[in-house]
Each structure stands twice: as structure tokens, then as C-alpha cells.
Amino acid sequence: MGTSYEEMAAEAMKLPLRDRVKLAQQLASSLDDGVETDVEELWLAEAERRMEELRTSKAAAIDAADAFARARHSISDL
């Protein structure tokens, strides 16, 4: 193979978001042949829905540290 991993990864990062999502989905599904296509399609649709909510300001992004802190707090209340 003439192309190194680093070159392929750099090219993949130049793809539009939707294409990167599709590529990631295809790569992930190649790791486990037992993954059902319906489930993958549902996750892709959910990711696209969430991205659209961020783009249209229907949802706001939060910092990862805040998200994990909220999750830990929620679990500790159980």
C-alpha cells in the first residue's frame, strides 16, 4: 500500500462532516460484522439530528468536563 495511515487520516479529515460521519460508521461497522445495519442507521440519524439542533441553536453545546461532572452527579444520586 503506497499511502500511509497519516496521509489517509489527513485526507479523511478534509472531508465534509457528513462524509466523515459516514466513513467513521463504515470503519466502525467493519470491526464487528455482527452489528445490525438498522441500529447503525438509527445512530447516524440521531447524530445528524443532534448536529442540526446545534446548527440551528435548538440545543447548546456544553463543555465535556461539565457533561461528565453532571453525569457523575446524577449517578451519585442513585
Side-chain angles (χ1 to χ4, degrees):
M1 182 185 285
T3 305
S4 72
Y5 164 80
E6 290 81 13
E7 290 169 329
M8 289 175 34
E11 286 300 310
M13 293 305 291
K14 294 177 186 176
L15 293 170
L17 177 62
R18 183 176 295 258
D19 290 341
R20 290 195 323 262
V21 169
K22 288 179 182 179
L23 177 58
Q25 177 190 18
Q26 186 175 4
L27 290 171
S29 68
S30 73
L31 300 175
D32 182 3
D33 292 337
V35 176
E36 294 185 29
T37 303
D38 291 343
V39 173
E40 293 175 21
E41 289 175 8
L42 290 171
W43 275 115
L44 179 58
E46 178 65 12
E48 289 175 343
R49 182 190 67 78
R50 290 179 184 195
M51 181 58 74
E52 186 61 25
E53 285 185 353
L54 288 170
R55 282 192 189 118
T56 60
S57 299
K58 288 182 182 176
I62 62 170
D63 184 67
D66 292 338
F68 286 116
R70 290 180 190 184
R72 280 191 293 276
H73 180 73
S74 295
I75 292 170
S76 69
D77 288 344
L78 297 177

